Amino acid sequence: MSDFDDDEYESFDLDGSGQASVPAPVSPPPAAVLDPDDDDDDDDDDEDDIEDAADDEIDFVLAAYREDGQLVVPTMDTDLANDLEELIVQLRRLPGDAGAIGFVSLVEEVFVIVRVRGPHVQVLLNDAGAAGDWPIAHDVADLLGEDIPDPDDESEPMGDLGILSDLGLSEFDLGALIDDLDLSSDQVLIEIAGKINLNPQFQRAAEAAFGA
């Protein structure tokens, strides 16, 4: 999924690193007029049908970055849990030495990780099926150009499993954490944070936001 060259960037070292014929032309009634944008309208309608996550459905929205070598883990506006585009905008505004990572957890079941480094964006959704239920998950599918899977399909992640591989968390290990059914989404993110040396700051921020 990633399209960047790691050598172009400073390391994000978080460890301190058919139609029928008719006999004569007739004007179709308004309802029969074909709109070339019908498909797009249908897509928009599908997205409009997805309700935003309510405050009590948002576990937390956190970011992590390093400024002058110091780890910073701010709590982000919960509205960003429903808008991937705006989340990316806000992550890009953070003064990270080498970009920033955003973490969103919903209803203890769904999470999204977003990594922004300059113009380069990587995303990961833990359950592709959530794209039919949550706006930010739908946004991930749109960004990646992926179809929304049938809800009866087996749960699979969507996006870049290698999103954190340069920070010490391999695709295999990240996939294993996602597959651990004993962990809720917020717990998975805390485990991920530990693997890339964001704890204890991340865990404290997550627990504080979750308990708010």
Side-chain angles (χ1 to χ4, degrees):
M1 168 62 201
S2 173
D3 59 355
F4 60 85
D5 184 344
D6 285 332
D7 292 338
E8 298 177 3
Y9 295 90
E10 177 182 356
S11 172
F12 195 75
D13 185 4
L14 290 174
D15 61 2
S17 114
Q19 193 174 35
S21 62
V22 294
V26 294
S27 298
V33 174
L34 297 178
D35 183 348
D37 296 325
D38 272 349
D39 289 341
D40 291 339
D41 290 344
D42 289 344
D43 290 342
D44 291 342
D45 289 344
D46 288 344
E47 188 170 1
D48 289 342
D49 288 341
I50 303 176
E51 294 185 3
D52 282 355
D55 286 346
D56 62 354
E57 295 174 315
I58 301 169
D59 304 326
F60 54 74
V61 183
L62 300 176
Y65 63 95
R66 283 191 176 272
E67 184 177 13
D68 297 329
Q70 297 299 310
L71 176 62
V72 183
V73 184
T75 299
M76 308 290 279
D77 194 315
T78 55
D79 288 346
L80 298 176
N82 291 307
D83 190 338
L84 177 63
E85 182 178 0
E86 185 61 24
L87 176 58
I88 291 170
V89 168
Q90 296 304 319
L91 289 173
R92 189 167 281 135
R93 290 177 175 172
L94 295 174
D97 298 334
I101 308 176
F103 303 83
V104 178
S105 178
L106 302 171
V107 296
E108 301 180 61
E109 295 179 0
V110 177
F111 74 74
V112 174
I113 300 175
V114 185
R115 189 173 183 186
V116 177
R117 288 184 281 183
H120 300 283
V121 177
Q122 296 165 276
V123 293
L124 177 66
L125 169 65
N126 70 316
D127 181 1
D133 298 322
W134 304 98
I136 195 168
H138 193 286
D139 290 347
V140 170
D142 279 349
L143 180 68
L144 298 174
E146 298 280 357
D147 292 332
I148 298 175
D150 188 288
D152 294 329
D153 289 349
E154 185 176 350
S155 172
E156 292 185 354
M158 177 186 289
D160 190 356
L161 280 170
I163 190 170
L164 303 172
S165 59
D166 62 312
L167 304 180
L169 184 57
S170 69
E171 294 186 28
F172 177 83
D173 289 338
L174 180 51
L177 284 171
I178 291 173
D179 289 341
D180 189 340
L181 300 181
D182 291 330
L183 296 176
S184 59
S185 60
D186 56 300
Q187 291 172 332
V188 173
L189 290 180
I190 291 172
E191 289 289 324
I192 289 171
K195 300 290 186 182
I196 59 175
N197 299 298
L198 296 182
N199 286 334
Q201 293 96 319
F202 184 94
Q203 183 168 358
R204 285 199 297 260
E207 291 173 348
F210 193 84

